[in-house]
Amino acid sequence: MNKKFYITTPIYYPSANFHIGHCYTTIIADALSRYKRLNGYDVFFQTGTDEHGAKIAQKAEENGVTPKEYVDEIIENAKDLWEKLEISYDYFIRTTDESHVKAVQAMFQKLYDKGEIYKGSYKGLYCVPCESFWTQTQLVDGKCPDCGREVKEVTEDAYFFKLSKYQDKLLEYYEANPDFILPLSRKNELINNFLKPGLEDLCVSRTSVKWGIPVPFDPDHVIYVWLDALSNYITSLGYPDENAELYKKYWPADLHLVGKEITRFHAIIWPAMLMALDVPLPKQVFGHGWLIIDGGKISKSLGNYKDPREYIDSYGVDAVRYFVLREVPFGADGSFSEEALITRTNADLVNNLGNLVNRTISMAHKYFEGQITNPRVSASVDTDLIQSVEALKAKVDAKMDELKVNEALEEIFDVLRKCNKYIDDTTPWTLAKDENELPRLKTVIYNILETIRICAILLEAFMPTTSEKILNQLNTQARTFATIEKFGNLEEVTLNKPEILFQRIEVSE
Ligand code: ME8
């Protein structure tokens, strides 16, 4: 049986249409999913929307529609965006799905029956836009540490989850599973800022909010948004039915991919909830950095962004995918600007990749009418290229396993660069002038095309359209990972006509 890989993105708030920051997480999850599938894994890739809460109810009211009507439109828009970005998700969960609502109620009841949830009264500092409660010590200059806005004091009857009792268990779990939270800097931050100072019980219901899942035995309360939201990762699989097929097959999740600001919910509250339910814990939570625009986080409430479809329309889907995957180092923040996107596209996709494919296929047509064979007239200059290409798959595998997606791409583009240099070193145009050198010329062209084929197959997870275009131009059937373990599986093919992969983007002054 194939090994399984269950990967999730956060379920985003459909309070406004999604921006390039949401695309960032979703594109990484897509690249990781596609790569695992190519490596033979049975992948379950889940994304979705977190639809309850005060903020969404407020937005709907402002727009004169019901909350459900409001979110339905945004979800339609989001699904269209994911299609345009070629996101290969297997399941899209909505927290308004009836199956999710029922499952969350059953979980709440179970936690209450086990004494893990109790009724009390809540007094706390609440940030409305972030829907987060904070303790006095967590505030920065008296304001919300995430968004810097005012918090307000709130008192009401509420149910609480006994989070405080899980402090030591969580620390033990982190100790026993050193890769549970990545990157490590994020883990240390959580231990020092949240676990060590002591966890407080968590408020899990509200009476002031109406748009949410009612507490099954006390319907004046709605279930407070994080318990509702985090449960999505198992309700989609059929939990609380532990015999549900998907649940048995895919849980525990292999990777929850989230932005750094919600790592603490996934690495503290979520595992504690699962411990309380006697459900196995996910294997890993990766808190990635932010895409920063003009020095600040791109934000729905600040509205400082364009519809990502505008970038796709101007530069093409793969330029956008490539940029976000390549630009941001593992776990760190990266800046997003159209200027940087244009520079990357021109340097890497037009100059390095696009030109290599185009000029090689053009030469093959010019010298051999597109007929490819390999007479194996080798020279020492070939060895370095062939060795690099043969080592590439293992290198990319390792980087992807470590979630260093940008470095995985760097490895592939290094080989492409090497291949461009190989053309300069072997000067096919000189070989073409001498009849006796034609067998050598054929070998040189073969080596370049085989390098291109292998790189194109490795690029499929990152840029599926471009990968397919290249493989179609090569007219090859050898397209699987099994065909790239060694150099030389490109068949004797007749190439298709060269087509430009990426147009240079001219910048008007
Ligand atoms: O937090 N850079 O939803 P949300 C990188 N519903 N990633 C970004 C980003 C940026 N500038 N902006 C957003 C929620 N993201 C909750 C999640 S999960 C059980 C509930 C991405 O709509 C990143 O993944 O605010 C971040 O964590 C997420 O969107 C926040 O989405």
Side-chain angles (χ1 to χ4, degrees), residues 10-13 19 21-22 24-25 50 226 229-230 232-233 258-259 261-262 266 288-291 297-298 300:
I11 49 169
Y12 308 113
Y13 291 127
H19 55 66
H22 301 104
Y24 174 66
T25 316
D50 183 1
W226 278 100
L230 290 162
N232 90 84
Y233 302 127
V258 299
E261 81 292 355
I262 57 171
H266 287 79
H288 64 66
W290 288 339
L291 278 183
K297 188 188 170 214
I298 308 161
K300 275 186 286 220

Side-chain angles (χ1 to χ4, degrees), residues 312-323:
I312 302 174
D313 292 344
S314 305
Y315 311 115
V317 57
D318 280 347
V320 176
R321 287 179 64 108
Y322 179 75
F323 180 81

Side-chain angles (χ1 to χ4, degrees), residues 59-71:
K59 283 272 184 180
E61 201 177 317
E62 282 164 23
N63 285 274
V65 291
T66 65
K68 184 68 169 53
E69 283 167 343
Y70 181 77
V71 294

